[in-house]
Every structure is written in C-alpha cells, then in structure tokens.
mmCIF file of all heavy atoms in Angstrom:
data_model
loop_
_atom_site.group_PDB
_atom_site.id
_atom_site.type_symbol
_atom_site.label_atom_id
_atom_site.label_comp_id
_atom_site.label_asym_id
_atom_site.label_seq_id
_atom_site.Cartn_x
_atom_site.Cartn_y
_atom_site.Cartn_z
ATOM 1 N N LEU A 1 0.792 -1.145 -0.014
ATOM 2 C CA LEU A 1 0.040 0.006 0.030
ATOM 3 C C LEU A 1 0.869 1.258 0.018
ATOM 4 O O LEU A 1 1.945 1.295 0.638
ATOM 5 C CB LEU A 1 -0.959 -0.023 1.167
ATOM 6 C CG LEU A 1 -2.121 -0.959 1.120
ATOM 7 C CD1 LEU A 1 -2.718 -1.182 2.393
ATOM 8 C CD2 LEU A 1 -3.181 -0.366 0.120
ATOM 9 N N LYS A 2 0.344 2.165 -0.796
ATOM 10 C CA LYS A 2 0.982 3.532 -0.824
ATOM 11 C C LYS A 2 0.082 4.638 -0.177
ATOM 12 O O LYS A 2 -1.125 4.454 -0.225
ATOM 13 C CB LYS A 2 1.331 3.893 -2.251
ATOM 14 C CG LYS A 2 2.079 2.811 -3.086
ATOM 15 C CD LYS A 2 2.129 3.166 -4.432
ATOM 16 C CE LYS A 2 3.072 2.116 -5.241
ATOM 17 N NZ LYS A 2 3.156 2.408 -6.711
ATOM 18 N N PRO A 3 0.666 5.777 0.147
ATOM 19 C CA PRO A 3 -0.110 6.777 0.645
ATOM 20 C C PRO A 3 -1.351 7.171 -0.255
ATOM 21 O O PRO A 3 -2.363 7.596 0.166
ATOM 22 C CB PRO A 3 0.774 8.007 0.855
ATOM 23 C CG PRO A 3 2.084 7.194 1.192
ATOM 24 C CD PRO A 3 2.025 6.081 0.319
ATOM 25 N N GLU A 4 -1.064 7.193 -1.544
ATOM 26 C CA GLU A 4 -1.981 7.491 -2.453
ATOM 27 C C GLU A 4 -3.282 6.562 -2.590
ATOM 28 O O GLU A 4 -4.259 6.947 -3.199
ATOM 29 C CB GLU A 4 -1.495 7.784 -3.848
ATOM 30 C CG GLU A 4 -0.599 6.653 -4.339
ATOM 31 C CD GLU A 4 0.859 6.841 -4.149
ATOM 32 O OE1 GLU A 4 1.226 7.319 -2.973
ATOM 33 O OE2 GLU A 4 1.688 6.515 -5.074
ATOM 34 N N ASP A 5 -3.052 5.475 -1.957
ATOM 35 C CA ASP A 5 -4.163 4.399 -1.866
ATOM 36 C C ASP A 5 -5.180 4.845 -0.813
ATOM 37 O O ASP A 5 -6.217 4.209 -0.704
ATOM 38 C CB ASP A 5 -3.663 3.098 -1.525
ATOM 39 C CG ASP A 5 -2.874 2.511 -2.631
ATOM 40 O OD1 ASP A 5 -3.256 2.683 -3.788
ATOM 41 O OD2 ASP A 5 -1.846 1.882 -2.346
ATOM 42 N N THR A 6 -4.917 5.834 0.087
ATOM 43 C CA THR A 6 -5.853 6.284 1.133
ATOM 44 C C THR A 6 -7.091 6.725 0.559
ATOM 45 O O THR A 6 -7.128 7.645 -0.275
ATOM 46 C CB THR A 6 -5.185 7.391 1.929
ATOM 47 O OG1 THR A 6 -3.991 6.971 2.620
ATOM 48 C CG2 THR A 6 -6.201 7.923 2.946
ATOM 49 N N ALA A 7 -8.091 6.188 0.960
ATOM 50 C CA ALA A 7 -9.487 6.490 0.412
ATOM 51 C C ALA A 7 -10.620 5.669 1.130
ATOM 52 O O ALA A 7 -10.331 4.843 1.952
ATOM 53 C CB ALA A 7 -9.587 6.169 -1.069
ATOM 54 N N VAL A 8 -11.797 6.109 0.892
ATOM 55 C CA VAL A 8 -12.910 5.232 1.266
ATOM 56 C C VAL A 8 -13.245 4.212 0.175
ATOM 57 O O VAL A 8 -13.396 4.765 -0.977
ATOM 58 C CB VAL A 8 -14.185 6.068 1.658
ATOM 59 C CG1 VAL A 8 -15.284 5.091 1.957
ATOM 60 C CG2 VAL A 8 -13.893 7.055 2.811
ATOM 61 N N TYR A 9 -13.189 3.015 0.582
ATOM 62 C CA TYR A 9 -13.430 1.961 -0.456
ATOM 63 C C TYR A 9 -14.822 1.514 -0.385
ATOM 64 O O TYR A 9 -15.368 1.190 0.661
ATOM 65 C CB TYR A 9 -12.462 0.782 -0.249
ATOM 66 C CG TYR A 9 -11.086 1.106 -0.813
ATOM 67 C CD1 TYR A 9 -10.240 2.009 0.067
ATOM 68 C CD2 TYR A 9 -10.460 0.512 -1.824
ATOM 69 C CE1 TYR A 9 -8.958 2.378 -0.438
ATOM 70 C CE2 TYR A 9 -9.213 0.816 -2.181
ATOM 71 C CZ TYR A 9 -8.482 1.725 -1.473
ATOM 72 O OH TYR A 9 -7.138 1.978 -1.921
ATOM 73 N N TYR A 10 -15.469 1.425 -1.494
ATOM 74 C CA TYR A 10 -16.917 1.004 -1.589
ATOM 75 C C TYR A 10 -16.956 -0.266 -2.497
ATOM 76 O O TYR A 10 -16.444 -0.393 -3.619
ATOM 77 C CB TYR A 10 -17.721 2.069 -2.274
ATOM 78 C CG TYR A 10 -17.810 3.353 -1.589
ATOM 79 C CD1 TYR A 10 -16.979 4.447 -1.726
ATOM 80 C CD2 TYR A 10 -18.834 3.612 -0.614
ATOM 81 C CE1 TYR A 10 -16.944 5.586 -1.110
ATOM 82 C CE2 TYR A 10 -18.857 4.703 0.127
ATOM 83 C CZ TYR A 10 -17.967 5.728 -0.054
ATOM 84 O OH TYR A 10 -17.996 6.993 0.498
ATOM 85 N N CYS A 11 -17.842 -1.174 -1.989
ATOM 86 C CA CYS A 11 -18.075 -2.368 -2.721
ATOM 87 C C CYS A 11 -19.391 -2.207 -3.594
ATOM 88 O O CYS A 11 -20.232 -1.379 -3.168
ATOM 89 C CB CYS A 11 -18.263 -3.574 -1.809
ATOM 90 S SG CYS A 11 -18.908 -5.168 -2.522
ATOM 91 N N ASN A 12 -19.359 -2.747 -4.743
ATOM 92 C CA ASN A 12 -20.478 -2.582 -5.684
ATOM 93 C C ASN A 12 -20.877 -3.994 -6.174
ATOM 94 O O ASN A 12 -19.946 -4.627 -6.688
ATOM 95 C CB ASN A 12 -20.242 -1.636 -6.744
ATOM 96 C CG ASN A 12 -21.347 -1.493 -7.689
ATOM 97 O OD1 ASN A 12 -21.131 -1.840 -8.999
ATOM 98 N ND2 ASN A 12 -22.409 -1.119 -7.334
ATOM 99 N N VAL A 13 -22.107 -4.371 -6.136
ATOM 100 C CA VAL A 13 -22.487 -5.527 -6.695
ATOM 101 C C VAL A 13 -23.823 -5.364 -7.534
ATOM 102 O O VAL A 13 -24.649 -4.705 -7.102
ATOM 103 C CB VAL A 13 -22.935 -6.664 -5.580
ATOM 104 C CG1 VAL A 13 -23.321 -8.062 -6.168
ATOM 105 C CG2 VAL A 13 -21.604 -6.914 -4.653
ATOM 106 N N LYS A 14 -23.722 -5.934 -8.735
ATOM 107 C CA LYS A 14 -24.882 -5.812 -9.655
ATOM 108 C C LYS A 14 -25.367 -7.210 -10.002
ATOM 109 O O LYS A 14 -24.552 -8.126 -10.220
ATOM 110 C CB LYS A 14 -24.413 -5.007 -10.927
ATOM 111 C CG LYS A 14 -23.928 -3.594 -10.766
ATOM 112 C CD LYS A 14 -23.556 -3.049 -12.070
ATOM 113 C CE LYS A 14 -23.058 -1.667 -11.899
ATOM 114 N NZ LYS A 14 -21.729 -1.584 -11.283
ATOM 115 N N GLY A 15 -26.663 -7.320 -10.194
ATOM 116 C CA GLY A 15 -27.133 -8.650 -10.541
ATOM 117 C C GLY A 15 -28.695 -8.650 -10.566
ATOM 118 O O GLY A 15 -29.302 -7.558 -10.974
ATOM 119 N N VAL A 16 -29.308 -9.706 -10.397
ATOM 120 C CA VAL A 16 -30.692 -9.920 -10.493
ATOM 121 C C VAL A 16 -31.270 -10.541 -9.212
ATOM 122 O O VAL A 16 -30.626 -11.464 -8.630
ATOM 123 C CB VAL A 16 -31.164 -10.915 -11.614
ATOM 124 C CG1 VAL A 16 -32.656 -11.063 -11.714
ATOM 125 C CG2 VAL A 16 -30.565 -10.361 -12.987
ATOM 126 N N SER A 17 -32.319 -9.861 -8.671
ATOM 127 C CA SER A 17 -32.883 -10.265 -7.339
ATOM 128 C C SER A 17 -34.267 -10.991 -7.738
ATOM 129 O O SER A 17 -34.816 -10.779 -8.804
ATOM 130 C CB SER A 17 -33.038 -9.047 -6.403
ATOM 131 O OG SER A 17 -33.790 -8.109 -6.973
ATOM 132 N N TYR A 18 -34.724 -11.674 -6.682
ATOM 133 C CA TYR A 18 -36.027 -12.229 -6.795
ATOM 134 C C TYR A 18 -37.015 -11.826 -5.655
ATOM 135 O O TYR A 18 -36.437 -11.295 -4.592
ATOM 136 C CB TYR A 18 -35.885 -13.786 -6.863
ATOM 137 C CG TYR A 18 -35.348 -14.368 -5.560
ATOM 138 C CD1 TYR A 18 -36.227 -14.599 -4.462
ATOM 139 C CD2 TYR A 18 -33.968 -14.656 -5.475
ATOM 140 C CE1 TYR A 18 -35.784 -15.294 -3.267
ATOM 141 C CE2 TYR A 18 -33.546 -15.213 -4.245
ATOM 142 C CZ TYR A 18 -34.322 -15.558 -3.265
ATOM 143 O OH TYR A 18 -33.866 -16.092 -2.119
ATOM 144 N N GLY A 19 -38.222 -12.080 -5.855
ATOM 145 C CA GLY A 19 -39.248 -11.796 -4.824
ATOM 146 C C GLY A 19 -40.573 -11.873 -5.523
ATOM 147 O O GLY A 19 -40.902 -12.879 -6.234
ATOM 148 N N ALA A 20 -41.392 -10.822 -5.423
ATOM 149 C CA ALA A 20 -42.647 -10.771 -6.160
ATOM 150 C C ALA A 20 -42.356 -10.718 -7.666
ATOM 151 O O ALA A 20 -43.186 -11.285 -8.363
ATOM 152 C CB ALA A 20 -43.512 -9.577 -5.649
ATOM 153 N N SER A 21 -41.282 -10.214 -8.046
ATOM 154 C CA SER A 21 -41.049 -10.210 -9.431
ATOM 155 C C SER A 21 -39.498 -10.117 -9.545
ATOM 156 O O SER A 21 -38.757 -9.671 -8.567
ATOM 157 C CB SER A 21 -41.646 -8.999 -10.156
ATOM 158 O OG SER A 21 -41.218 -7.788 -9.660
ATOM 159 N N TRP A 22 -38.952 -10.446 -10.625
ATOM 160 C CA TRP A 22 -37.492 -10.380 -10.946
ATOM 161 C C TRP A 22 -37.144 -8.913 -11.084
ATOM 162 O O TRP A 22 -38.030 -8.074 -11.763
ATOM 163 C CB TRP A 22 -37.062 -11.183 -12.155
ATOM 164 C CG TRP A 22 -37.473 -12.597 -12.032
ATOM 165 C CD1 TRP A 22 -38.241 -13.272 -12.858
ATOM 166 C CD2 TRP A 22 -36.838 -13.580 -11.272
ATOM 167 N NE1 TRP A 22 -38.383 -14.637 -12.543
ATOM 168 C CE2 TRP A 22 -37.485 -14.871 -11.513
ATOM 169 C CE3 TRP A 22 -35.894 -13.568 -10.189
ATOM 170 C CZ2 TRP A 22 -37.155 -16.031 -10.835
ATOM 171 C CZ3 TRP A 22 -35.595 -14.755 -9.490
ATOM 172 C CH2 TRP A 22 -36.236 -15.995 -9.863
ATOM 173 N N SER A 23 -35.945 -8.511 -10.639
ATOM 174 C CA SER A 23 -35.550 -7.240 -10.911
ATOM 175 C C SER A 23 -34.083 -7.116 -10.825
ATOM 176 O O SER A 23 -33.382 -7.974 -10.065
ATOM 177 C CB SER A 23 -36.100 -6.206 -9.930
ATOM 178 O OG SER A 23 -35.813 -6.391 -8.569
ATOM 179 N N GLY A 24 -33.508 -6.133 -11.482
ATOM 180 C CA GLY A 24 -32.085 -5.887 -11.506
ATOM 181 C C GLY A 24 -31.795 -5.155 -10.185
ATOM 182 O O GLY A 24 -32.591 -4.391 -9.702
ATOM 183 N N TYR A 25 -30.525 -5.267 -9.734
ATOM 184 C CA TYR A 25 -30.109 -4.396 -8.581
ATOM 185 C C TYR A 25 -28.713 -3.917 -8.762
ATOM 186 O O TYR A 25 -28.001 -4.543 -9.512
ATOM 187 C CB TYR A 25 -30.112 -5.194 -7.312
ATOM 188 C CG TYR A 25 -29.179 -6.449 -7.148
ATOM 189 C CD1 TYR A 25 -27.965 -6.262 -6.685
ATOM 190 C CD2 TYR A 25 -29.689 -7.705 -7.517
ATOM 191 C CE1 TYR A 25 -27.036 -7.317 -6.743
ATOM 192 C CE2 TYR A 25 -28.825 -8.741 -7.466
ATOM 193 C CZ TYR A 25 -27.488 -8.592 -7.064
ATOM 194 O OH TYR A 25 -26.679 -9.601 -7.063
ATOM 195 N N ASP A 26 -28.408 -2.891 -8.034
ATOM 196 C CA ASP A 26 -27.164 -2.217 -8.271
ATOM 197 C C ASP A 26 -26.959 -1.662 -6.793
ATOM 198 O O ASP A 26 -27.313 -0.649 -6.318
ATOM 199 C CB ASP A 26 -27.220 -1.082 -9.201
ATOM 200 C CG ASP A 26 -25.707 -0.461 -9.400
ATOM 201 O OD1 ASP A 26 -24.885 -0.774 -8.689
ATOM 202 O OD2 ASP A 26 -25.652 0.270 -10.392
ATOM 203 N N SER A 27 -26.217 -2.566 -5.967
ATOM 204 C CA SER A 27 -26.116 -2.294 -4.536
ATOM 205 C C SER A 27 -24.703 -1.813 -4.132
ATOM 206 O O SER A 27 -23.707 -2.158 -4.780
ATOM 207 C CB SER A 27 -26.463 -3.484 -3.721
ATOM 208 O OG SER A 27 -27.780 -3.886 -3.952
ATOM 209 N N TRP A 28 -24.626 -0.945 -3.191
ATOM 210 C CA TRP A 28 -23.374 -0.409 -2.694
ATOM 211 C C TRP A 28 -23.160 -0.570 -1.216
ATOM 212 O O TRP A 28 -24.169 -0.645 -0.418
ATOM 213 C CB TRP A 28 -23.407 1.169 -2.931
ATOM 214 C CG TRP A 28 -23.238 1.593 -4.391
ATOM 215 C CD1 TRP A 28 -24.293 1.624 -5.288
ATOM 216 C CD2 TRP A 28 -22.025 1.788 -5.153
ATOM 217 N NE1 TRP A 28 -23.733 1.975 -6.519
ATOM 218 C CE2 TRP A 28 -22.341 2.048 -6.432
ATOM 219 C CE3 TRP A 28 -20.727 1.769 -4.776
ATOM 220 C CZ2 TRP A 28 -21.475 2.353 -7.476
ATOM 221 C CZ3 TRP A 28 -19.765 2.031 -5.745
ATOM 222 C CH2 TRP A 28 -20.105 2.312 -7.082
ATOM 223 N N GLY A 29 -21.996 -0.928 -0.885
ATOM 224 C CA GLY A 29 -21.672 -1.003 0.565
ATOM 225 C C GLY A 29 -21.621 0.447 1.283
ATOM 226 O O GLY A 29 -21.600 1.442 0.581
ATOM 227 N N GLN A 30 -21.317 0.255 2.430
ATOM 228 C CA GLN A 30 -21.380 1.527 3.348
ATOM 229 C C GLN A 30 -20.118 2.405 3.158
ATOM 230 O O GLN A 30 -20.020 3.507 3.475
ATOM 231 C CB GLN A 30 -21.642 1.255 4.768
ATOM 232 C CG GLN A 30 -20.408 0.750 5.567
ATOM 233 C CD GLN A 30 -20.177 -0.729 5.363
ATOM 234 O OE1 GLN A 30 -20.794 -1.512 4.531
ATOM 235 N NE2 GLN A 30 -19.298 -1.328 6.201
#
C-alpha cells in the first residue's frame, strides 16, 4: 500500500434479485 491508496473503499454488486418479481439491482456497501 501507498499513501495515495488512502480513500474510502466502496463495494458494488450488480445482478438480479427475486421476490414478487424479478428485478435488477445495483447495490453499494457503506
């Protein structure tokens, strides 16, 4: 790791969810 790596890192996941109907999702971590 380098000082320039300092940052807030966010996870992102995209896909398809299920439930009453199928839907795409694009979710982010905190």
Side-chain angles (χ1 to χ4, degrees):
L1 286 163
K2 304 175 180 179
E4 51 263 43
D5 294 319
T6 296
V8 176
Y9 285 69
Y10 297 91
C11 178
N12 175 243
V13 179
K14 302 181 180 68
V16 178
S17 63
Y18 64 87
S21 63
W22 303 112
S23 63
Y25 65 87
D26 185 349
S27 298
W28 291 86
Q30 78 279 11

